[in-house]
Amino acid sequence: MEFTRPRGTRDFLPSEMEKRRHVESLMRHTFDSFGYSEVATPTFENLELFTTKSGEEIKEHLYHFKDKGDRDLALRPELTAAVMRLYINELQVAPKPQKIFYIGNCFRYERPQSGRYREFWQVGAELIGSSRPEADAEVIALAMDTLNALKLKNCELHIGHIGILRGILEENGVKEDDQEQLMGIIDKGEEAELQAFLDDLGLSPDVQRTLNAILYLKGEKNEGVLIKAKKLLSGNPEALDALNNFRVVLDKLDAFGVEDYTINLGIARGLDYYTGTVFEIYAANLGAQKQICGGGTYSLVEVLGGKKTPTCGFAFGFDRVILALEKEGYGFEEGTKTRFFVMATGPELADDALKVARRLRGRFPAEADIMARKMGKALKYASNRGFSHAVILGEDEFKTGRLIIKDLRTGKQVEIGTNEVETFEP
Ligand code: HAM
Protein backbone atom coordinates (compact mmCIF):
# COMPACT_ATOMS: atom_id res chain seq x y z
CA MET A 1 0.00 0.00 0.00
CA GLU A 2 1.31 3.42 -0.95
CA PHE A 3 0.66 6.29 1.42
CA THR A 4 -0.03 9.63 -0.19
CA ARG A 5 -0.45 13.09 1.31
CA PRO A 6 -3.94 14.29 2.19
CA ARG A 7 -5.49 16.32 -0.63
CA GLY A 8 -4.46 19.97 -0.66
CA THR A 9 -1.31 19.48 1.46
CA ARG A 10 2.35 19.57 0.44
CA ASP A 11 5.73 18.20 1.45
CA PHE A 12 8.64 20.61 1.37
CA LEU A 13 12.05 19.29 0.37
CA PRO A 14 15.25 20.82 1.82
CA SER A 15 15.78 23.23 -1.11
CA GLU A 16 12.20 24.47 -0.78
CA MET A 17 12.53 24.88 2.99
CA GLU A 18 15.71 26.87 2.50
CA LYS A 19 13.83 29.32 0.26
CA ARG A 20 10.92 29.54 2.68
CA ARG A 21 13.17 30.21 5.67
CA HIS A 22 15.06 32.84 3.72
CA VAL A 23 11.89 34.72 2.75
CA GLU A 24 10.50 34.28 6.24
CA SER A 25 13.57 35.85 7.80
CA LEU A 26 13.42 38.87 5.50
CA MET A 27 9.74 39.30 6.41
CA ARG A 28 10.50 39.00 10.12
CA HIS A 29 13.14 41.65 9.72
CA THR A 30 10.65 44.21 8.28
CA PHE A 31 8.03 43.44 10.95
CA ASP A 32 10.70 43.91 13.53
CA SER A 33 11.79 47.24 12.03
CA PHE A 34 8.20 48.53 12.47
CA GLY A 35 8.21 47.46 16.14
CA TYR A 36 5.92 44.43 15.77
CA SER A 37 6.56 41.49 18.13
CA GLU A 38 5.94 37.86 17.30
CA VAL A 39 3.35 35.66 19.01
CA ALA A 40 2.28 32.06 18.47
CA THR A 41 -1.10 30.48 19.17
CA PRO A 42 -2.32 26.86 19.02
CA THR A 43 -2.93 25.16 15.69
CA PHE A 44 -6.40 24.18 16.92
CA GLU A 45 -8.88 26.29 18.85
CA ASN A 46 -12.36 25.82 20.24
CA LEU A 47 -14.70 25.73 17.24
CA GLU A 48 -16.77 28.54 18.77
CA LEU A 49 -13.93 31.02 18.28
CA PHE A 50 -14.66 30.89 14.56
CA THR A 51 -18.46 30.38 14.58
CA THR A 52 -19.23 33.19 17.06
CA LYS A 53 -18.81 35.92 14.44
CA SER A 54 -19.27 33.99 11.23
CA GLY A 55 -22.11 31.64 12.16
CA GLU A 56 -22.48 27.90 11.60
CA GLU A 57 -22.00 28.23 7.81
CA ILE A 58 -18.28 28.71 8.30
CA LYS A 59 -18.05 25.07 9.40
CA GLU A 60 -18.34 24.07 5.75
CA HIS A 61 -14.93 25.63 5.19
CA LEU A 62 -13.25 24.33 8.34
CA TYR A 63 -11.56 21.18 9.51
CA HIS A 64 -13.47 20.60 12.73
CA PHE A 65 -13.79 17.60 14.99
CA LYS A 66 -14.64 16.38 18.47
CA ASP A 67 -11.81 15.33 20.75
CA LYS A 68 -12.01 12.41 23.17
CA GLY A 69 -13.42 14.74 25.83
CA ASP A 70 -16.33 15.61 23.49
CA ARG A 71 -15.02 19.15 22.93
CA ASP A 72 -15.72 20.80 19.57
CA LEU A 73 -12.42 21.93 18.08
CA ALA A 74 -11.27 23.32 14.74
CA LEU A 75 -7.95 23.69 12.95
CA ARG A 76 -7.45 27.45 12.58
CA PRO A 77 -8.50 28.83 9.16
CA GLU A 78 -6.64 32.10 9.91
CA LEU A 79 -4.98 33.70 12.93
CA THR A 80 -6.81 36.97 13.51
CA ALA A 81 -9.51 35.47 15.76
CA ALA A 82 -6.86 33.50 17.67
CA VAL A 83 -4.70 36.60 18.19
CA MET A 84 -7.76 38.53 19.43
CA ARG A 85 -8.48 35.68 21.88
CA LEU A 86 -4.86 35.87 23.06
CA TYR A 87 -5.19 39.65 23.40
CA ILE A 88 -8.35 39.33 25.50
CA ASN A 89 -6.80 36.59 27.66
CA GLU A 90 -3.36 38.13 28.18
CA LEU A 91 -2.85 41.65 26.87
CA GLN A 92 -5.93 43.80 27.51
CA VAL A 93 -4.19 45.81 30.20
CA ALA A 94 -0.89 46.20 28.32
CA PRO A 95 -0.02 49.66 26.89
CA LYS A 96 -1.69 50.47 23.57
CA PRO A 97 -1.34 50.23 20.73
CA GLN A 98 -0.18 46.62 20.76
CA LYS A 99 1.73 45.61 17.63
CA ILE A 100 1.81 41.91 16.97
CA PHE A 101 2.87 39.60 14.17
CA TYR A 102 2.66 35.87 13.54
CA ILE A 103 3.71 33.17 11.13
CA GLY A 104 1.64 30.02 11.13
CA ASN A 105 -0.09 27.29 9.18
CA CYS A 106 -3.82 27.57 8.49
CA PHE A 107 -6.35 25.05 7.27
CA ARG A 108 -9.34 25.61 5.04
CA TYR A 109 -11.56 22.98 3.48
CA GLU A 110 -11.45 24.43 -0.03
CA ARG A 111 -11.16 22.99 -3.52
CA PRO A 112 -7.41 22.81 -4.09
CA GLN A 113 -5.93 24.42 -7.18
CA SER A 114 -2.74 26.22 -8.10
CA GLY A 115 -1.98 28.61 -5.23
CA ARG A 116 -4.91 27.34 -3.15
CA TYR A 117 -4.22 24.67 -0.57
CA ARG A 118 -5.97 23.04 2.34
CA GLU A 119 -2.93 23.66 4.50
CA PHE A 120 -1.18 26.96 3.82
CA TRP A 121 0.86 29.50 5.74
CA GLN A 122 0.03 33.05 6.73
CA VAL A 123 2.40 35.78 7.84
CA GLY A 124 0.32 38.52 9.39
CA ALA A 125 0.22 41.53 11.67
CA GLU A 126 -2.40 43.04 13.97
CA LEU A 127 -2.37 46.56 15.37
CA ILE A 128 -4.62 46.68 18.44
CA GLY A 129 -5.92 49.75 20.25
CA SER A 130 -5.83 52.66 17.82
CA SER A 131 -8.76 53.93 15.80
CA ARG A 132 -6.71 56.69 14.23
CA PRO A 133 -6.17 56.80 10.46
CA GLU A 134 -2.42 56.48 11.09
CA ALA A 135 -3.05 52.93 12.29
CA ASP A 136 -4.75 51.88 9.03
CA ALA A 137 -2.02 53.61 7.04
CA GLU A 138 0.73 51.95 9.09
CA VAL A 139 -0.45 48.39 8.49
CA ILE A 140 -0.77 49.04 4.76
CA ALA A 141 2.74 50.52 4.73
CA LEU A 142 4.06 47.52 6.69
CA ALA A 143 2.60 45.13 4.10
CA MET A 144 4.03 47.10 1.17
CA ASP A 145 7.44 47.62 2.77
CA THR A 146 7.65 43.87 3.43
CA LEU A 147 7.10 43.17 -0.27
CA ASN A 148 9.56 45.92 -1.21
CA ALA A 149 12.20 44.33 1.03
CA LEU A 150 11.61 41.06 -0.85
CA LYS A 151 11.97 43.03 -4.11
CA LEU A 152 8.69 41.71 -5.47
CA LYS A 153 8.03 43.81 -8.53
CA ASN A 154 4.68 42.84 -10.03
CA CYS A 155 2.21 43.55 -7.29
CA GLU A 156 -0.73 45.89 -7.08
CA LEU A 157 -2.18 47.41 -3.96
CA HIS A 158 -5.95 48.03 -3.97
CA ILE A 159 -7.52 49.98 -1.14
CA GLY A 160 -11.19 50.44 -0.37
CA HIS A 161 -13.47 51.20 2.56
CA ILE A 162 -16.15 48.78 3.61
CA GLY A 163 -17.77 51.45 5.81
CA ILE A 164 -19.07 53.09 2.64
CA LEU A 165 -20.98 49.98 1.53
CA ARG A 166 -22.09 49.26 5.07
CA GLY A 167 -23.23 52.88 5.44
CA ILE A 168 -25.53 52.58 2.42
CA LEU A 169 -26.91 49.23 3.61
CA GLU A 170 -27.35 50.44 7.18
CA GLU A 171 -29.29 53.52 6.14
CA ASN A 172 -31.58 51.38 4.07
CA GLY A 173 -32.35 49.04 6.92
CA VAL A 174 -30.40 45.99 5.67
CA LYS A 175 -29.87 43.64 8.63
CA GLU A 176 -26.33 42.68 9.69
CA ASP A 177 -26.77 39.04 8.64
CA ASP A 178 -27.82 40.12 5.16
CA GLN A 179 -24.91 42.59 5.06
CA GLU A 180 -22.44 39.78 5.77
CA GLN A 181 -24.01 37.58 3.13
CA LEU A 182 -23.89 40.40 0.61
CA MET A 183 -20.20 41.09 1.37
CA GLY A 184 -19.46 37.41 0.75
CA ILE A 185 -21.23 37.53 -2.63
CA ILE A 186 -19.40 40.72 -3.62
CA ASP A 187 -16.10 39.13 -2.58
CA LYS A 188 -16.76 36.08 -4.76
CA GLY A 189 -17.44 38.40 -7.72
CA GLU A 190 -20.58 36.52 -8.79
CA GLU A 191 -22.41 39.17 -10.80
CA ALA A 192 -25.76 37.39 -11.35
CA GLU A 193 -25.94 36.18 -7.74
CA LEU A 194 -25.26 39.74 -6.57
CA GLN A 195 -28.05 41.29 -8.61
CA ALA A 196 -30.51 38.58 -7.51
CA PHE A 197 -29.57 39.14 -3.87
CA LEU A 198 -30.00 42.93 -4.15
CA ASP A 199 -33.48 42.34 -5.63
CA ASP A 200 -34.34 39.98 -2.77
CA LEU A 201 -33.33 42.59 -0.21
CA GLY A 202 -36.10 44.78 -1.60
CA LEU A 203 -33.80 47.78 -2.10
CA SER A 204 -35.23 50.55 -4.29
CA PRO A 205 -33.85 50.86 -7.84
CA ASP A 206 -32.17 54.12 -6.78
CA VAL A 207 -30.30 52.49 -3.89
CA GLN A 208 -29.35 49.53 -6.10
CA ARG A 209 -27.99 51.96 -8.67
CA THR A 210 -25.88 53.72 -6.03
CA LEU A 211 -24.57 50.41 -4.68
CA ASN A 212 -23.68 49.15 -8.14
CA ALA A 213 -21.97 52.40 -9.03
CA ILE A 214 -19.89 52.33 -5.82
CA LEU A 215 -18.93 48.68 -6.35
CA TYR A 216 -17.43 49.49 -9.72
CA LEU A 217 -15.77 52.73 -8.66
CA LYS A 218 -12.10 52.19 -9.12
CA GLY A 219 -9.10 54.22 -10.28
CA GLU A 220 -5.67 55.62 -9.55
CA LYS A 221 -5.21 58.13 -6.75
CA ASN A 222 -5.68 61.24 -8.84
CA GLU A 223 -8.49 60.08 -11.06
CA GLY A 224 -11.27 61.74 -9.12
CA VAL A 225 -12.64 58.52 -7.59
CA LEU A 226 -13.27 60.18 -4.25
CA ILE A 227 -15.06 63.12 -5.90
CA LYS A 228 -17.28 60.73 -7.86
CA ALA A 229 -18.01 58.76 -4.70
CA LYS A 230 -18.94 61.94 -2.84
CA LYS A 231 -21.48 62.81 -5.53
CA LEU A 232 -23.00 59.33 -5.44
CA LEU A 233 -23.30 59.38 -1.67
CA SER A 234 -24.88 62.79 -1.18
CA GLY A 235 -27.81 62.42 1.19
CA ASN A 236 -26.19 59.42 2.84
CA PRO A 237 -24.44 60.78 5.96
CA GLU A 238 -23.15 57.49 7.32
CA ALA A 239 -21.51 56.54 4.02
CA LEU A 240 -20.15 60.10 3.67
CA ASP A 241 -18.54 59.84 7.13
CA ALA A 242 -16.83 56.65 6.01
CA LEU A 243 -15.67 58.38 2.83
CA ASN A 244 -14.16 61.23 4.86
CA ASN A 245 -12.35 58.78 7.09
CA PHE A 246 -11.05 57.02 3.98
CA ARG A 247 -9.71 60.29 2.58
CA VAL A 248 -7.70 60.95 5.76
CA VAL A 249 -6.27 57.40 5.74
CA LEU A 250 -5.10 57.94 2.15
CA ASP A 251 -3.51 61.28 3.12
CA LYS A 252 -1.60 59.54 5.93
CA LEU A 253 -0.42 56.87 3.53
CA ASP A 254 1.56 59.52 1.68
CA ALA A 255 3.54 60.21 4.85
CA PHE A 256 4.26 56.47 5.16
CA GLY A 257 5.68 56.58 1.62
CA VAL A 258 2.95 54.49 -0.01
CA GLU A 259 2.01 56.32 -3.17
CA ASP A 260 1.31 53.72 -5.79
CA TYR A 261 -2.15 52.15 -5.39
CA THR A 262 -5.60 51.82 -6.87
CA ILE A 263 -8.64 53.04 -5.00
CA ASN A 264 -11.18 50.22 -5.32
CA LEU A 265 -14.49 50.69 -3.54
CA GLY A 266 -15.64 47.23 -4.65
CA ILE A 267 -13.39 45.40 -2.14
CA ALA A 268 -15.65 43.54 0.29
CA ARG A 269 -13.21 40.91 1.75
CA GLY A 270 -14.23 37.32 2.36
CA LEU A 271 -14.34 37.40 6.16
CA ASP A 272 -17.19 38.94 8.14
CA TYR A 273 -15.43 41.17 10.60
CA TYR A 274 -14.25 44.14 8.51
CA THR A 275 -15.69 47.58 9.20
CA GLY A 276 -13.50 50.30 7.67
CA THR A 277 -10.45 50.60 5.41
CA VAL A 278 -9.82 47.33 3.57
CA PHE A 279 -7.02 46.41 1.22
CA GLU A 280 -5.78 43.61 -0.96
CA ILE A 281 -2.52 43.06 -2.81
CA TYR A 282 -2.48 41.11 -6.05
CA ALA A 283 0.42 39.50 -7.89
CA ALA A 284 -0.89 39.57 -11.45
CA ASN A 285 1.36 36.71 -12.61
CA LEU A 286 -0.37 34.21 -10.30
CA GLY A 287 -3.59 33.83 -12.29
CA ALA A 288 -6.84 33.01 -10.48
CA GLN A 289 -5.35 32.88 -6.97
CA LYS A 290 -3.47 36.13 -7.29
CA GLN A 291 -4.39 37.69 -3.94
CA ILE A 292 -1.19 37.53 -1.90
CA CYS A 293 -2.36 39.72 0.97
CA GLY A 294 -5.60 40.90 2.50
CA GLY A 295 -6.56 42.97 5.50
CA GLY A 296 -8.14 46.06 6.96
CA THR A 297 -9.93 47.53 9.95
CA TYR A 298 -12.18 45.11 11.79
CA SER A 299 -14.24 44.61 14.86
CA LEU A 300 -13.79 41.36 16.74
CA VAL A 301 -12.58 41.90 20.33
CA GLU A 302 -16.05 42.75 21.69
CA VAL A 303 -17.65 39.91 19.70
CA LEU A 304 -15.29 37.52 21.53
CA GLY A 305 -16.14 38.93 24.96
CA GLY A 306 -13.47 41.62 25.36
CA LYS A 307 -13.83 45.38 25.77
CA LYS A 308 -14.60 47.14 22.47
CA THR A 309 -11.20 47.85 20.94
CA PRO A 310 -10.24 49.21 17.51
CA THR A 311 -8.11 46.82 15.48
CA CYS A 312 -6.59 46.54 12.04
CA GLY A 313 -4.21 44.16 10.37
CA PHE A 314 -3.49 41.91 7.43
CA ALA A 315 -2.11 38.56 6.44
CA PHE A 316 0.08 37.51 3.57
CA GLY A 317 -0.53 34.18 1.92
CA PHE A 318 3.08 33.10 2.44
CA ASP A 319 2.94 30.31 -0.17
CA ARG A 320 1.61 32.71 -2.77
CA VAL A 321 4.33 35.25 -1.98
CA ILE A 322 6.91 32.52 -2.65
CA LEU A 323 5.15 31.55 -5.90
CA ALA A 324 5.09 35.18 -7.02
CA LEU A 325 8.80 35.60 -6.24
CA GLU A 326 9.64 32.42 -8.13
CA LYS A 327 7.67 33.63 -11.16
CA GLU A 328 9.90 36.70 -11.17
CA GLY A 329 13.01 34.53 -11.11
CA TYR A 330 13.96 35.58 -7.60
CA GLY A 331 17.52 34.51 -6.74
CA PHE A 332 17.30 32.41 -3.62
CA GLU A 333 21.08 32.39 -3.00
CA GLU A 334 21.30 28.64 -3.43
CA GLY A 335 24.64 27.05 -2.76
CA THR A 336 26.49 30.21 -1.80
CA LYS A 337 26.83 29.35 1.87
CA THR A 338 30.18 28.20 3.25
CA ARG A 339 29.86 24.53 4.29
CA PHE A 340 32.70 22.10 4.92
CA PHE A 341 32.83 18.39 4.19
CA VAL A 342 35.72 16.70 6.02
CA MET A 343 37.18 13.46 4.65
CA ALA A 344 40.09 11.17 5.44
CA THR A 345 42.26 9.35 2.92
CA GLY A 346 42.31 6.21 5.06
CA PRO A 347 40.35 4.55 7.92
CA GLU A 348 43.03 5.37 10.49
CA LEU A 349 42.19 9.11 10.21
CA ALA A 350 38.38 8.66 10.26
CA ASP A 351 38.07 9.74 13.89
CA ASP A 352 40.35 12.73 13.30
CA ALA A 353 37.99 13.80 10.48
CA LEU A 354 35.07 13.70 12.92
CA LYS A 355 37.07 15.84 15.37
CA VAL A 356 38.04 18.43 12.72
CA ALA A 357 34.37 18.74 11.67
CA ARG A 358 33.45 19.31 15.30
CA ARG A 359 36.06 22.08 15.61
CA LEU A 360 34.81 23.79 12.43
CA ARG A 361 31.19 23.67 13.56
CA GLY A 362 31.76 26.50 16.02
CA ARG A 363 31.83 28.88 13.04
CA PHE A 364 30.55 27.03 9.97
CA PRO A 365 28.24 24.14 9.13
CA ALA A 366 30.53 21.13 8.84
CA GLU A 367 30.09 17.39 8.34
CA ALA A 368 32.54 14.55 8.20
CA ASP A 369 32.27 11.50 5.95
CA ILE A 370 30.57 8.71 7.92
CA MET A 371 30.53 6.20 5.05
CA ALA A 372 34.27 5.38 4.90
CA ARG A 373 34.27 6.49 1.27
CA LYS A 374 37.35 6.61 -0.91
CA MET A 375 38.58 10.14 -1.71
CA GLY A 376 37.14 10.36 -5.23
CA LYS A 377 33.71 9.22 -4.14
CA ALA A 378 33.72 11.47 -1.09
CA LEU A 379 34.62 14.51 -3.22
CA LYS A 380 31.84 13.70 -5.69
CA TYR A 381 29.33 13.34 -2.87
CA ALA A 382 30.42 16.67 -1.36
CA SER A 383 30.00 18.44 -4.72
CA ASN A 384 26.58 16.88 -5.33
CA ARG A 385 25.39 17.95 -1.91
CA GLY A 386 26.52 21.52 -2.59
CA PHE A 387 29.31 21.81 -0.02
CA SER A 388 31.52 24.81 -0.73
CA HIS A 389 34.71 23.23 0.68
CA ALA A 390 36.25 19.83 1.21
CA VAL A 391 38.72 19.35 4.06
CA ILE A 392 41.09 16.51 3.22
CA LEU A 393 43.08 14.68 5.89
CA GLY A 394 45.92 12.93 4.07
CA GLU A 395 48.16 10.56 6.02
CA ASP A 396 51.49 12.25 5.17
CA GLU A 397 50.29 15.84 5.69
CA PHE A 398 48.36 15.05 8.87
CA LYS A 399 51.42 13.44 10.45
CA THR A 400 53.26 16.77 10.01
CA GLY A 401 50.34 18.81 11.34
CA ARG A 402 48.90 19.91 7.98
CA LEU A 403 45.60 19.43 6.13
CA ILE A 404 44.21 20.47 2.76
CA ILE A 405 41.19 22.67 2.13
CA LYS A 406 39.76 22.51 -1.37
CA ASP A 407 37.26 25.07 -2.68
CA LEU A 408 34.84 22.83 -4.57
CA ARG A 409 33.47 25.71 -6.65
CA THR A 410 36.83 26.90 -8.02
CA GLY A 411 38.95 23.78 -7.55
CA LYS A 412 41.63 25.84 -5.74
CA GLN A 413 43.24 24.27 -2.70
CA VAL A 414 45.32 25.51 0.21
CA GLU A 415 47.27 23.73 2.93
CA ILE A 416 46.82 24.91 6.53
CA GLY A 417 48.14 23.82 9.89
CA THR A 418 45.83 21.56 11.93
CA ASN A 419 46.07 24.20 14.67
CA GLU A 420 44.52 26.79 12.30
CA VAL A 421 41.12 25.06 12.00
CA GLU A 422 39.49 27.48 14.44
CA THR A 423 40.81 30.59 12.72
CA PHE A 424 40.82 29.64 9.04
CA GLU A 425 38.84 32.06 6.85
CA PRO A 426 37.79 30.55 3.50
P1 HAM B 1 -7.70 36.23 3.96
O1 HAM B 1 -7.81 37.17 2.82
O2 HAM B 1 -8.79 35.23 4.13
O3 HAM B 1 -7.58 37.13 5.26
O4 HAM B 1 -6.33 35.46 3.91
C1 HAM B 1 -5.11 36.16 3.79
C2 HAM B 1 -4.28 35.60 2.68
O5 HAM B 1 -4.07 34.20 2.87
C3 HAM B 1 -4.95 35.68 1.30
O6 HAM B 1 -4.74 36.95 0.73
C4 HAM B 1 -4.23 34.58 0.54
O7 HAM B 1 -3.02 35.07 0.00
C5 HAM B 1 -3.91 33.56 1.61
N1 HAM B 1 -4.82 32.40 1.52
C6 HAM B 1 -6.10 32.31 1.90
N2 HAM B 1 -6.61 31.08 1.66
C7 HAM B 1 -5.60 30.37 1.09
C8 HAM B 1 -5.47 29.02 0.61
N3 HAM B 1 -6.48 28.15 0.67
N4 HAM B 1 -4.28 28.64 0.08
C9 HAM B 1 -3.23 29.51 0.02
N5 HAM B 1 -3.29 30.78 0.47
C10 HAM B 1 -4.46 31.21 1.00
C11 HAM B 1 -7.39 36.63 6.51
O8 HAM B 1 -7.20 35.48 6.76
C12 HAM B 1 -7.38 37.70 7.59
N6 HAM B 1 -7.17 37.04 8.89
C13 HAM B 1 -6.36 38.76 7.34
C14 HAM B 1 -6.38 39.83 8.38
C15 HAM B 1 -5.53 39.96 9.42
N7 HAM B 1 -7.27 40.79 8.49
C16 HAM B 1 -7.00 41.54 9.54
N8 HAM B 1 -5.97 41.04 10.12
Side-chain angles (χ1 to χ4, degrees):
M1 178 174 163
E2 191 186 339
F3 289 101
T4 53
R5 293 183 306 264
R7 195 165 138 74
T9 63
R10 289 154 297 156
D11 295 316
F12 300 105
L13 292 170
S15 61
E16 186 67 24
M17 282 314 292
E18 199 175 330
K19 271 183 221 170
R20 292 172 71 90
R21 291 291 180 233
H22 175 69
V23 174
E24 200 181 293
S25 81
L26 288 174
M27 289 177 133
R28 270 207 173 83
H29 187 263
T30 310
F31 284 108
D32 210 40
S33 73
F34 272 72
Y36 284 64
S37 310
E38 186 169 359
V39 298
T41 60
T43 311
F44 55 90
E45 294 275 354
N46 290 316
L47 174 62
E48 262 193 315
L49 182 68
F50 308 113
T51 52
T52 297
K53 174 71 190 167
S54 304
E56 294 291 305
E57 305 87 67
I58 199 180
K59 281 160 70 176
E60 266 185 54
H61 306 287
L62 294 181
Y63 280 87
H64 64 95
F65 53 96
K66 271 195 193 296
D67 74 359
K68 293 193 177 84
D70 211 30
R71 300 172 195 92
D72 283 307
L73 301 172
L75 298 183
R76 59 188 179 197
E78 53 118 33
L79 278 97
T80 305
V83 170
M84 292 308 112
R85 177 196 53 65
L86 173 149
Y87 166 76
I88 296 166
N89 295 159
E90 316 278 351
L91 297 170
Q92 277 200 98
V93 294
K96 293 200 192 41
Q98 287 282 311
K99 300 184 179 188
I100 283 173
F101 83 92
Y102 49 80
I103 300 181
N105 54 348
C106 303
F107 306 83
R108 294 186 189 179
Y109 195 76
E110 297 189 298
R111 199 166 42 79
Q113 62 184 84
S114 167
R116 185 159 75 185
Y117 313 101
R118 288 185 169 172
E119 183 190 29
F120 61 98
W121 272 256
Q122 284 193 346
V123 178
E126 312 294 347
L127 199 166
I128 307 169
S130 168
S131 58
R132 294 187 57 84
E134 287 87 340
D136 300 23
E138 177 173 298
V139 295
I140 297 174
L142 171 56
M144 287 311 287
D145 280 3
T146 304
L147 295 177
N148 291 338
L150 293 172
K151 301 195 173 59
L152 184 72
K153 290 188 271 307
N154 298 306
C155 59
E156 281 173 32
L157 167 64
H158 284 223
I159 315 176
H161 198 297
I162 231 166
I164 297 171
L165 290 176
R166 286 197 191 272
I168 301 172
L169 298 171
E170 203 75 41
E171 287 189 17
N172 289 283
V174 176
K175 290 191 311 263
E176 205 179 317
D177 275 2
D178 289 332
Q179 285 188 26
E180 309 309 1
Q181 210 176 326
L182 181 62
M183 297 299 168
I185 298 171
I186 298 171
D187 184 60
K188 275 193 289 176
E190 302 279 351
E191 185 62 26
E193 192 183 344
L194 172 65
Q195 296 316 324
F197 192 77
L198 290 179
D199 286 342
D200 281 355
L201 286 177
L203 294 170
S204 72
D206 258 5
V207 174
Q208 289 206 28
R209 253 194 305 279
T210 309
L211 269 175
N212 274 313
I214 288 288
L215 285 178
Y216 292 100
L217 208 47
K218 191 160 132 170
E220 301 307 309
K221 200 166 62 172
N222 299 319
E223 288 178 351
V225 176
L226 297 184
I227 296 168
K228 283 185 206 147
K230 192 170 173 189
K231 278 196 193 128
L232 283 167
L233 297 172
S234 61
N236 204 323
E238 210 168 309
L240 276 173
D241 270 359
L243 183 66
N244 282 335
N245 168 260
F246 188 41
R247 190 191 309 275
V248 187
V249 171
L250 297 182
D251 284 346
K252 291 288 167 202
L253 261 185
D254 271 354
F256 277 98
V258 179
E259 283 163 1
D260 196 7
Y261 55 83
T262 300
I263 297 173
N264 181 348
L265 296 185
I267 298 180
R269 305 284 299 124
L271 295 153
D272 291 339
Y273 43 60
Y274 295 98
T275 52
T277 308
V278 281
F279 69 101
E280 294 180 343
I281 305 175
Y282 313 115
N285 57 12
L286 289 189
Q289 302 303 319
K290 65 178 181 177
Q291 196 197 117
I292 55 170
C293 179
T297 305
Y298 57 92
S299 176
L300 204 50
V301 175
E302 65 275 25
V303 181
L304 299 176
K307 203 166 127 246
K308 193 170 165 55
T309 309
T311 42
C312 55
F314 66 85
F316 285 113
F318 181 68
D319 313 86
R320 293 185 189 174
V321 171
I322 300 264
L323 285 174
L325 287 168
E326 278 173 343
K327 287 253 158 128
E328 291 186 3
Y330 189 78
F332 280 103
E333 294 180 25
E334 265 168 57
T336 53
K337 261 197 334 207
T338 301
R339 287 163 65 215
F340 289 95
F341 190 71
V342 188
M343 59 191 75
T345 51
E348 62 288 351
L349 292 180
D351 285 355
D352 292 298
L354 295 172
K355 287 177 194 160
V356 169
R358 185 160 168 244
R359 287 165 62 197
L360 280 164
R361 242 174 254 137
R363 296 184 303 140
F364 299 105
E367 289 173 45
D369 178 39
I370 50 170
M371 300 289 282
R373 287 185 170 95
K374 295 231 160 35
M375 269 275 290
K377 284 208 168 136
L379 279 170
K380 202 161 162 201
Y381 171 79
S383 290
N384 287 345
R385 286 250 340 256
F387 282 88
S388 61
H389 294 79
V391 180
I392 303 163
L393 273 56
E395 215 178 322
D396 294 341
E397 294 90 3
F398 204 70
K399 259 194 242 148
T400 59
R402 319 282 307 158
L403 47 78
I404 293 165
I405 298 189
K406 178 170 179 164
D407 187 321
L408 295 171
R409 298 158 304 187
T410 62
K412 280 204 186 115
Q413 53 184 57
V414 289
E415 216 176 85
I416 65 163
T418 48
N419 57 354
E420 292 174 80
V421 167
E422 273 84 5
T423 52
F424 171 72
E425 284 302 330

